[in-house]
Amino acid sequence: MPDPVLSYALPVLLLAAFPFIGGLLRGIDRKITAHMQSRIGPPVLQPFYDVIKLWGKKPFITSQFQPVLAFGYLGFSLMAAAILVFRLDLLLLLFTVATADVCLVAASFNSKSPYSHIGGMRELLSVLSYEPVMIMSIISIYFATRSFLVGGIFSLAYPLLLLLPGVFVAMGFVLIVEMKKSPFDISASMHAHQEIVRGVFTEFSGYTMAMVELGHWVKMMLILSIMAYFWAPNLLIGVGLALLLFFVSLVVDNIYPRLTWQRMLKTTWTFGFTLILANLVALFLLGGV
Amino acid sequence: MDIMNKARVKSPWVLHFNCGSCNGCDIEILAALAPRFDVERFGIINIGNPKQADVLLVTGPANRRNFRVLKNLYDQMPETKVVIVVGSCGSTGGVFYNCPNVLGGVDKVVPVDVYVPGCAARPEQIIDGFILGLQKLAEKGKKKVEGR
Ligand code: SF4
């Protein structure tokens, strides 16, 4: 008989905390980025101010479908997070994340703005660049644990990282693309120094933008949590590892300019696939399976 | 609704529009965004998208060539919003006053809340103008709540 607190109450609490921790991380991200550029930077709570303000602004809705899709983005992201914290199927998680992305892209195509269209096109390309890497990672996790369930990771006696270090690094690429950080921020960016500034987010305003922003935080937290699970026996170390990669992605963001989509696909696919395949071959040869 | 107003003042996203200025004031605005003055510590971001902006920052005089663009950008910004004009030529026409192609100050086309004089305005002045603009933003936010 599983403990009800551990199997229900804790995941629900964690799920509720997801957007808050995500927002805090975004604030820390902006603060660290500012310090790297020898600026003082906004307060750590800045992302929350932004979202609350957006919520209070009068929205410009370009089509009736747009708020539904914005809500879908947030909803499916939260659903994927729920699948993770309740330790269900990793494949299901993947499909839910993909559905969230489809909502965002569909919303960006749901207007006549050419900026929004370019952003949507590029968002599709980012999905194309990280989704295969994520699928391969999850298949590798299957080979290591013989299960597609998140619970399988926890039933291992030793951390997943020792079996799949290459996959962990490949997930780093997924994180950078997912966080829309340079050099992979082709679809949208926070700062007006890029050629297409808001990209996919062009047509969102008011509460729809707030929902998309929240969804973005949840998705970032999702990837970071998967990374934390790479050290499942002691989750504190896992969280430390995830935060380390978070920091690495900020450093990468500050030292690289934006790449073209061709370079992005090449980079994520060659590095991601090579790392994962090398890892799998090593796993088979060493008889770890 | 106090939280909402606090958030509004804490996170003004800026749309910067150059309405035919000599670029002198634009350079000063960029200086305000750069590390030395770093207006992002007040949550100010140059967002470049009228639909998500709260502050319209205009440099340069209103002229016959692009006053429609200015009007359009203003109309595309959702409430609550303020307009800040930076530079003498945006405030009154300045050195371009009485030119055949120039209408005059930006206030000939859109309602202006804050004027920052100077040719070119210094970044310190621009930041002061912002603080005044944010007070107006808070007032407008309060009015909006009472009006409901
Ligand atoms: S106020 Fe002077 S410096 Fe500023 S844009 Fe006008 S002419 Fe140029």
Side-chain angles (χ1 to χ4, degrees), chain B:
Chain B
M1 270 322 197
D2 208 14
I3 294 178
M4 189 66 84
N5 232 355
K6 188 170 177 218
R8 211 171 263 140
V9 173
K10 282 252 184 195
S11 129
W13 288 2
V14 173
L15 176 71
H16 172 205
F17 180 57
N18 178 343
C19 189
S21 83
C22 79
N23 274 352
C25 287
D26 305 273
I27 290 170
E28 302 299 325
I29 288 171
L30 292 183
L33 290 167
R36 177 156 186 164
F37 294 99
D38 184 31
V39 289
E40 204 193 339
R41 65 204 148 111
F42 307 121
I44 298 170
I45 288 181
N46 188 354
I47 201 75
N49 181 356
K51 291 198 172 166
Q52 292 157 13
D54 309 281
V55 178
L56 179 60
L57 198 61
V58 193
T59 53
N63 56 66
R64 290 184 210 287
R65 188 74 188 170
N66 66 5
F67 75 93
R68 281 187 207 86
V69 181
L70 177 61
K71 184 94 186 61
N72 198 357
L73 284 175
Y74 178 80
D75 290 340
Q76 277 185 22
M77 284 171 59
E79 295 289 344
T80 48
K81 59 188 168 189
V82 290
V83 180
I84 301 179
V85 170
V86 173
S88 309
C89 65
S91 308
T92 59
V95 285
F96 305 115
Y97 182 73
N98 246 355
C99 286
N101 55 339
V102 167
L103 295 172
V106 169
D107 48 10
K108 293 259 170 19
V109 183
V110 294
V112 175
D113 297 282
V114 178
Y115 299 89
V116 181
C119 183
R122 305 281 308 134
E124 293 95 333
Q125 275 178 301
I126 298 175
I127 293 174
D128 279 350
F130 252 108
I131 291 172
L132 202 59
L134 293 183
Q135 286 166 5
K136 299 228 167 176
L137 199 67
E139 277 165 29
K140 284 189 184 183
K142 276 207 192 88
K143 253 184 225 147
K144 194 179 151 204
V145 175
E146 282 158 14
R148 255 186 208 154

Side-chain angles (χ1 to χ4, degrees), chain A residues 225-243:
Chain A
S225 316
I226 295 178
M227 293 179 141
Y229 285 180
F230 270 71
W231 206 284
N234 186 349
L235 269 181
L236 272 183
I237 300 178
V239 170
L241 280 173
L243 287 180

